[in-house]
């Protein structure tokens, strides 16, 4: 059985579309480096790290401290209200961030590589043209090979859009449409299998 706190595999299209996995990972990942293996010493197994520590270590530890302080000040009684409360916190930050939030979190380093190579800012600094190419129709044309333009990815596209500061609302709506399309497609593929 699939028991997720925030996501359900068959429902929750909006919640998934307004969530940024990469931003969440950059903010709340372990402050230690990536474990790439283990060595045995006496009767213990010791993790071998790719790097000594996460490059975002101090920020992550500070964020966790602040979050725990905040959560200790509030009182939530049931799981459903917990989920709605978390959604009220995450949705605006992840899908419609303010300039201040992008300044706070956008420079966190992130890598899609399992070994954490090629670290980049979670909110990549993209040009106007690169943001336009991320919009739903241009991105689909590029992905289908109809347009020969290039897609420059950002781990937190919403942060990149706000960081640029041009046509913000239009670009955020388009990013949302694209994410919804991706999750609808995944849902259809799950039903076909």
């Amino acid at each position: 059985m699939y028991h997720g706190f925030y996501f359900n595999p068959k429902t929750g299209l909006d919640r998934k579309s307004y969530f940024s996995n990469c931003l969440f990972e950059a903010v709340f990942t372990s402050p230690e480096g990536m474990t790439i293996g283990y060595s045995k010493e006496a009767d213990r197994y010791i993790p071998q790290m790719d790097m000594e520590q996460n490059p975002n270590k101090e920020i992550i530890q500070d964020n966790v401290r602040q979050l725990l302080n905040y959560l200790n000040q509030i009182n939530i009684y049931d799981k459903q209200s917990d989920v709605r409360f978390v959604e009220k916190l995450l949705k605006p930050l992840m899908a419609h961030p303010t300039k201040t939030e992008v300044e706070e979190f956008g420079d966190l380093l992130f890598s899609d590589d399992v070994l954490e190579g090629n670290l980049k800012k979670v909110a990549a600094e993209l040009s106007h043209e690169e943001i336009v190419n991320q919009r739903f129709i241009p991105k689909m044309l590029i992905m289908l090979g109809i347009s020969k333009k290039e897609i420059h990815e950002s781990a937190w596209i919403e942060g990149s859009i706000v960081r640029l500061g041009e046509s913000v609302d239009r670009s955020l709506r388009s990013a949302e449409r694209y994410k919804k399309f991706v999750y609808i497609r995944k849902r259809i593929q799950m039903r076909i299998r």
Side-chain angles (χ1 to χ4, degrees):
M1 297 283 299
Y2 180 97
H3 295 284
F5 171 77
Y6 196 66
F7 298 113
N8 180 311
K10 295 181 181 174
T11 62
L13 177 65
D14 281 344
R15 189 172 287 160
K16 291 174 186 173
S17 299
Y18 296 128
F19 190 83
S20 171
N21 292 319
C22 300
L23 176 62
F24 189 84
E25 184 177 323
V27 173
F28 291 109
T29 190
S30 170
E32 293 79 25
M34 173 66 72
T35 301
I36 57 171
Y38 294 88
S39 65
K40 188 173 182 179
E41 294 180 15
D43 292 340
R44 296 174 19 153
Y45 287 92
I46 308 297
Q48 303 300 304
M49 305 299 198
D50 180 37
M51 57 182 78
E52 200 165 302
Q53 66 184 19
N54 186 314
N56 302 318
K57 179 179 181 173
E58 290 177 18
I59 297 167
I60 291 166
Q61 289 174 328
D62 187 49
N63 288 338
V64 169
R65 259 191 310 278
Q66 289 184 45
L67 178 63
L68 290 174
N69 287 337
Y70 179 69
L71 292 174
N72 285 332
Q73 293 175 23
I74 61 173
N75 211 355
I76 299 174
Y77 296 101
D78 64 71
K79 183 180 176 191
Q80 284 307 314
S81 66
D82 286 353
V83 172
R84 285 191 294 274
F85 175 74
V86 169
E87 185 172 21
K88 284 180 183 179
L89 291 175
L90 292 181
K91 180 180 173 181
L93 169 66
M94 293 185 167
H96 300 280
T98 65
K99 194 84 167 162
T100 302
E101 290 167 335
V102 173
E103 288 169 4
E104 181 70 26
F105 298 110
D107 289 339
L108 290 173
L109 298 176
F110 177 80
S111 175
D112 276 335
D113 183 1
V114 174
L115 296 180
E116 296 186 347
N118 199 22
L119 291 166
K120 295 180 182 169
K121 292 179 181 179
V122 72
E125 295 178 22
L126 302 177
S127 69
H128 179 74
E129 182 181 353
E130 291 167 338
I131 294 287
V132 168
N133 290 343
Q134 289 280 348
R135 291 182 183 158
F136 185 77
I137 298 296
K139 191 169 187 172
M140 294 305 296
L141 293 174
I142 294 168
M143 293 174 75
L144 292 170
I146 296 168
S147 172
K148 300 301 177 201
K149 295 182 179 179
E150 195 174 341
I151 297 172
H152 294 269
E153 296 292 345
S154 172
W156 181 31
I157 189 61
E158 296 86 350
S160 295
I161 290 166
V162 170
R163 174 173 267 164
L164 179 65
E166 297 176 17
S167 306
V168 171
D169 291 338
R170 180 178 181 194
S171 295
L172 287 175
R173 281 192 307 273
S174 188
E176 176 187 332
R177 279 194 298 276
Y178 180 75
K179 284 184 172 183
K180 285 185 177 180
F181 168 78
V182 167
Y183 287 115
I184 289 170
R185 184 170 174 250
K186 285 182 180 182
R187 189 181 303 163
I188 291 169
Q189 288 174 333
M190 281 177 50
R191 288 183 185 160
I192 293 173
R193 290 181 186 157

